[in-house]
Amino acid sequence: MQTLLSLLLPIVVLLGCSAFPEHGTGGMAEHHYSSLSPVMADEPLGPEHGLRFEWELASRHLDVLILEGAELCFPASVVNARRMLERIVRELHGGLKFDAANDLIVQRVTLERLEKQLDAVVSSAACIPPKSVGFQSTAELAEKIYSLLNADNQFAFNSSEINPKYMGRLAEAAMILRDITQFNLLITGHADAIGNTKINKKLSLARANQVKRYLQIFGIVSSRLTVAAVGSSDPLFEGNQAQIRLTNRRVSIELVEVNFNRQNQL
């Protein structure tokens, strides 16, 4: 009898462990990372969208710190920051908004401390990361900044409120521009074809000023920012379809080289 039990026990154990959770559920979820879906311009906003926006800002902040050399100087801190971002995504997908909010506060403090540490070691030459990490030239860096500033899907219909996804891109661009002082920005507001000329001109100016406001919040001084407005007179695409109107509700932002301007004034 004892011999029979000794033979059956391993079989029972194996049968009990034969069902595993699908990838992304159960225990596997602890190591499964999925990004957050973007917030569309015409999507009703709720409290969870604020958390998604905060996550986007934290993710962009970490990207910029890595760009500036944080992964070279503080590799363990970067690994921990990435893991925290992944944890917050899991919490948001699981509806754990309170936990996600607490972890976002911790992440914000962590990234601010990492930024100060990076500034300290770079200024003291204790760690010297290569300039413009990840970019082969200033032109490539400028192209990256331009693509962030001019990303699609910026505003909802008849609104100057910035789409959270675009605001995250503004934050990332601003973090780079704070250290790349040879560029000023010309921010031109646009509107789609619906509405009269006067209203569209006013709306497009409000959009340009709103973008300027957030760039200042993200650390760009006002003297580097100039705003203009053209209403619906300069559409990116011709037409009145919904997707075209969404694209035309925008600001266009040009990088203006400071030295170039000074040479023209001489």
Side-chain angles (χ1 to χ4, degrees):
M1 184 68 176
Q2 187 173 1
T3 303
L4 180 60
L5 287 175
S6 64
L7 292 173
L8 289 176
L9 184 58
I11 297 174
V12 173
V13 172
L14 288 172
L15 289 174
C17 298
S18 61
F20 295 94
E22 294 181 3
H23 189 64
T25 62
M28 291 292 292
E30 187 63 25
H31 306 287
H32 179 63
Y33 174 73
S34 59
S35 60
L36 297 173
S37 57
V39 180
M40 302 305 294
D42 55 353
E43 181 181 347
L45 300 180
E48 69 279 5
H49 294 99
L51 294 175
R52 286 162 61 183
F53 167 60
E54 287 289 337
W55 181 91
E56 183 73 28
L57 287 183
S59 180
R60 299 291 179 180
H61 192 177
L62 179 58
D63 287 344
V64 171
L65 291 176
I66 292 172
L67 180 69
E68 293 176 343
E71 196 164 24
L72 175 66
C73 299
F74 300 99
S77 296
V78 170
V79 169
N80 290 333
R82 281 177 172 152
R83 287 178 176 172
M84 178 62 81
L85 287 174
E86 294 169 3
R87 173 175 173 169
I88 294 167
V89 169
R90 294 195 301 271
E91 290 168 342
L92 290 174
H93 277 297
L96 304 175
K97 298 183 180 65
F98 184 78
D99 293 328
N102 283 337
D103 284 339
L104 280 166
I105 293 172
V106 173
Q107 181 76 336
R108 191 182 307 123
V109 172
T110 299
L111 293 177
E112 288 174 355
R113 183 171 63 249
L114 178 58
E115 183 173 6
K116 290 178 181 177
Q117 290 173 332
L118 183 61
D119 289 342
V121 297
V122 170
S123 62
S124 65
C127 179
I128 308 176
K131 292 184 178 180
S132 299
V133 175
F135 295 96
Q136 299 299 319
S137 64
T138 303
E140 187 179 344
L141 178 60
E143 185 177 349
K144 169 67 173 178
I145 298 171
Y146 181 86
S147 66
L148 289 169
L149 293 172
N150 292 280
D152 203 359
N153 193 8
Q154 300 175 3
F155 299 94
F157 174 69
N158 197 32
S159 173
S160 61
E161 291 303 315
I162 298 173
N163 180 292
K165 187 77 173 180
Y166 179 55
M167 194 178 295
R169 298 190 183 282
L170 288 178
E172 183 177 356
M175 289 174 189
I176 301 173
L177 283 164
R178 285 185 307 190
D179 298 322
I180 311 297
T181 56
Q182 67 262 40
F183 294 125
N184 288 344
L185 302 180
L186 172 60
I187 308 165
T188 303
H190 300 262
D192 63 30
I194 295 181
N196 64 53
T197 302
K198 184 177 180 180
I199 291 177
N200 281 340
K201 185 70 174 292
K202 181 179 179 181
L203 177 59
S204 65
L205 181 60
R207 286 171 174 164
N209 280 322
Q210 187 76 322
V211 169
K212 177 183 178 181
R213 172 175 171 259
Y214 276 103
L215 286 172
Q216 288 180 261
I217 291 173
F218 296 142
I220 307 300
V221 295
S222 178
S223 60
R224 296 179 63 189
L225 306 172
T226 303
V227 298
V230 296
S232 58
S233 65
D234 186 23
L236 191 61
F237 297 106
E238 296 290 344
N240 202 30
Q241 296 92 334
Q243 188 60 37
I244 289 178
R245 287 191 285 107
L246 174 63
T247 301
N248 288 335
R249 296 194 293 266
R250 73 193 202 282
V251 295
S252 56
I253 304 180
E254 297 295 331
L255 300 177
V256 182
E257 293 192 59
V258 177
N259 292 337
F260 179 79
N261 282 347
R262 289 175 179 171
Q263 289 173 2
N264 282 350
Q265 292 171 2
L266 295 178

